[in-house]
Amino acid sequence: MVKERCTSADCRLCEFLDSKPELETSFNREPKQSVKCGFGKKGVCCRLCSNGPCRITPKSPRGVCGADADTIVARNFLRNVAAGAACYLHVVENTANNLREAGLGNYATELKGLEMLDELAELFDVEAEDVNEKAVQVAEKVLADLYKPRYKKMELVEKLAYSPRLKKWKELDIIPGGAKSEVFDALVKTSTNLSSDPVDMLMHVLNLGISTGLYGLHMTNLLNDVMLGEPEITQDKVGFKVVDEDYINIVVTGHQHTMIAHLQDALITEEATKMAQDVGAKGFKIVGSTCVGQDLQLRGAHYKDVFAGHAGNNYTSEALLATGGIDLVISEFNCTIPGLELVAEKYQVKMIAIDDVAKKTTAEMLKFDPAKAPEITDKLIKAAVESYQNRRSKIEIDIPKDHGYDDVVTGVSEKSLRKFLGGNYKALIDLIASGKIKGVAAVVGCSNLTAKGHDVFSVGLTKELIKRDILVLSAGCTTGGLENCGLVSPSAAKLAGDNLREVCEELGIPPVLNFGPCLSIGRVEEVAVELAKALDVDLPQLPAVLSAPQWLEEQALADGAFGLALGLPLHLALPPFVTGSEIIVDTLTKNLPEITGGQLIIDTEIESAADKLEEIILDRRSGLGL
């Protein structure tokens, strides 16, 4: 019997969905797609040429061209990672360009993180005194690296990487050349009748992981800090309760926060507020959704007036529109799932795309150009007002005000955490050394509907880890789920083991520290670097593990490649379409510890996955003499 709806760890969300039987969402579609292609799951289907698609079986161990399972799986995997790396590089490229244009005076937005600008200028040997010139030169350093040819190594890697890792990467010859060129040649390498060497392709995966992590994640965070303000630890509301029907509500989906820098400031001006009041609303609010909502939440201390709070992650967004309280969706990158279009049409929500990579069929295209930001902002505000006027009298407002929490701790970054701890990481290290905190687990990444249901594995694994006195750091859509299930509120301390509970209650913190969007996986890994530096060890020696239990997309695979290049153990609850190759599986799960120190762990069950992660942490503690 086919189940009617995918389940979720967020019970109130389930109740809300069940109250709308006429609403079609991903939760209804998932059961109808539950029978998966066995060849696709193993990665042994090849459709690179017209002789295919070829599918590898015991009776047909090679495709028409002669490619075996190892070659086909490696090609597919490298293509997946290259696509994921390309997505993140698109984000950092646009972010650096926006900073550059702001410095040149072409983007009418205030730089809010001048301390971070000074830090980057010093790190990159930029000598300019003028703030704007400094911003231009910092941005151009990043862009120059992205655009290098493949035969020229990216210069900033030397300045951004932890020195023991840099040495290891040089030994392995996986320091990336120009990041975009590396992606380009990954596609060339995996095209028809080119590379057949699975090991070489896996090394290219690690290479792409480095540019993804250092540039797509870490550098984007730092450039965002310059433009949008650095995170500050605070508390905020989450869930559908953040939607206030008295306002004109805008949802932005994606990852490119700097694209709305002008808009978010303009929405709280007297002129904009009057426009809203003229049609009966109190003003404008941006309702957080997907990773850009997490980024707004992370920097919420700077955006108290315009930011309503974070409503939920990627697979919560369809239900969010069904509250009737949203008037405009602006898409600028991924996590804008196609199903949103159906719900937007049903609830008469206007959709506008500002980056053509996130153009939806039913959305108007209004391509972002920093030089035209005031003009674009004006059009977006007018579109929101018009949508509010057209729809509010026709659409039922049904906002579950009991969905979510009022006291989620947010604004955690590698710097704000250090400040909270007293200026260095000694307090955290002392807690780990004493055993009050057994170790650190980063539970990060996406949300999907297939690893036991929406957020079910992420929430279950997190509960298992904190119960074992393991502090959890979270980033990405994973965090949206953990927030809406109460694990990022101080009261979650009662779910932790006795030792971790005592620490949390004394400090007034939850056992899950919320670092914000998936980009902040780079911040979580910076925390690991800070700990390693303080202990004078390399990353593989730390009692620290990674898990992306509900990874969803190619970007997550590129994130994972960075974690493996850093030498960290990485757990996934769903295999990344590689199990058709013994060489690939053995290399990632058995041989990688001898190569980078990292290790891929596939475990589809919550408790046994927690057992394995705890065992690694205990082993690392033993190695450090703890």
Side-chain angles (χ1 to χ4, degrees), residues 386-398:
E386 185 179 350
S387 178
Y388 176 91
Q389 276 185 301
N390 290 341
R391 60 183 297 279
R392 282 299 183 102
S393 62
K394 306 171 189 169
I395 299 298
E396 178 192 6
I397 303 293
D398 178 18

Side-chain angles (χ1 to χ4, degrees), residues 495-513:
L495 302 174
D498 290 344
N499 289 322
L500 179 57
R501 176 177 182 164
E502 184 182 329
V503 171
C504 292
E505 289 179 344
E506 186 176 336
L507 297 175
I509 61 172
V512 178
L513 300 184

Side-chain angles (χ1 to χ4, degrees), residues 229-240:
E230 295 191 52
E232 296 174 15
I233 295 177
T234 184
Q235 286 185 300
D236 205 357
K237 290 195 299 183
V238 297
F240 289 172

Side-chain angles (χ1 to χ4, degrees), residues 396-517:
E396 178 192 6
I397 303 293
D398 178 18
I399 303 167
K401 298 287 188 180
D402 57 346
H403 178 253
Y405 288 79
D406 295 319
D407 57 353
V408 159
V409 175
T410 181
V412 184
S413 72
E414 68 279 24
K415 284 181 68 177
S416 66
L417 179 59
R418 187 196 307 138
K419 184 178 177 183
F420 176 79
L421 292 169
N424 56 53
Y425 278 82
K426 183 176 182 305
L428 179 56
I429 291 170
D430 287 347
L431 287 168
I432 293 172
S434 70
K436 291 283 187 184
I437 293 176
K438 201 176 286 178
V440 176
V443 181
V444 298
C446 322
S447 171
N448 64 42
L449 303 184
T450 48
K452 298 188 179 295
H454 175 239
D455 295 332
V456 173
F457 206 113
S458 300
V459 168
L461 179 64
T462 298
K463 286 181 176 177
E464 274 295 325
L465 292 171
I466 63 175
K467 193 168 70 178
R468 302 171 192 221
D469 294 326
I470 296 169
L471 180 68
V472 169
L473 314 183
S474 182
C477 277
T478 297
T479 307
L482 298 180
E483 286 178 333
N484 283 352
C485 291
L487 289 169
V488 193
S489 297
S491 58
K494 64 179 181 292
L495 302 174
D498 290 344
N499 289 322
L500 179 57
R501 176 177 182 164
E502 184 182 329
V503 171
C504 292
E505 289 179 344
E506 186 176 336
L507 297 175
I509 61 172
V512 178
L513 300 184
N514 165 19
F515 281 72

Side-chain angles (χ1 to χ4, degrees), residues 441-445 451-452 457-458 460-462 465 478 544-551 556-557 560 563-564 568-576 588-589 598-614 616:
V443 181
V444 298
K452 298 188 179 295
F457 206 113
S458 300
L461 179 64
T462 298
L465 292 171
T478 297
V545 294
L546 277 173
S547 175
Q550 299 205 230
W551 74 273
L557 297 180
L564 295 175
L568 296 171
L570 168 66
H571 162 255
L572 303 176
L574 299 171
L588 293 174
T589 61
Q599 180 184 12
L600 180 64
I601 301 158
I602 306 292
D603 197 313
T604 59
E605 296 301 323
I606 291 170
E607 195 166 333
S608 59
D611 288 343
K612 289 172 183 166
L613 296 176
E614 183 183 25
I616 291 171

